């Protein structure tokens, strides 16, 4: 019972950690695409594609974390 309580408390920090990683990835992508300032369309498209991929993986990651924690609680 004590362990289950502690495992349940992990869900929120795990989700916040994923959010922080996504935020940092966004910053890195922005810094990298700034070097393409001479090609604004290429820069926008590159940033859009990368960020859409990151967002889709973010959602999958959160779902997997919730599933893992739920399995541990079962």
């Amino acid at each position: 019972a004590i362990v289950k309580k502690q495992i349940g408390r992990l869900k929120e920090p795990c989700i916040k950690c994923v959010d922080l990683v996504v935020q940092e990835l966004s910053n890195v992508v922005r810094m990298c695409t700034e070097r393409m300032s001479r090609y604004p369309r290429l820069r926008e498209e590159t940033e859009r594609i990368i960020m859409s991929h990151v967002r889709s993986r973010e959602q999958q990651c959160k779902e997997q974390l919730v599933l893992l924690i739920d399995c541990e609680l079962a």
Side-chain angles (χ1 to χ4, degrees):
I2 295 170
V3 173
K4 280 188 176 186
K5 191 176 184 181
Q6 294 300 322
I7 291 173
R9 292 173 143 177
L10 288 174
K11 190 179 287 187
E12 194 67 32
C14 288
I15 300 298
K16 286 182 183 177
C17 183
V18 171
D19 290 336
L20 290 171
V21 169
V22 168
Q23 183 179 359
E24 190 61 31
L25 280 171
S26 298
N27 292 338
V28 169
V29 168
R30 235 175 256 113
M31 286 176 12
C32 290
T33 56
E34 281 176 4
R35 295 178 182 214
M36 291 190 270
S37 60
R38 292 174 56 190
Y39 310 101
R41 283 189 173 171
L42 176 63
R43 176 183 169 202
E44 289 171 10
E45 193 64 17
T46 302
E47 194 170 332
R48 184 190 65 77
I49 291 170
I50 293 171
M51 289 313 300
S52 68
H53 182 72
V54 168
R55 275 187 238 104
S56 71
R57 296 299 170 191
E58 171 190 15
Q59 191 57 38
Q60 287 179 341
C61 182
K62 286 181 179 179
E63 289 169 4
Q64 287 293 316
L65 282 170
V66 169
L67 181 63
L68 177 63
I69 291 172
D70 290 345
C71 286
E72 292 294 329
L73 289 173

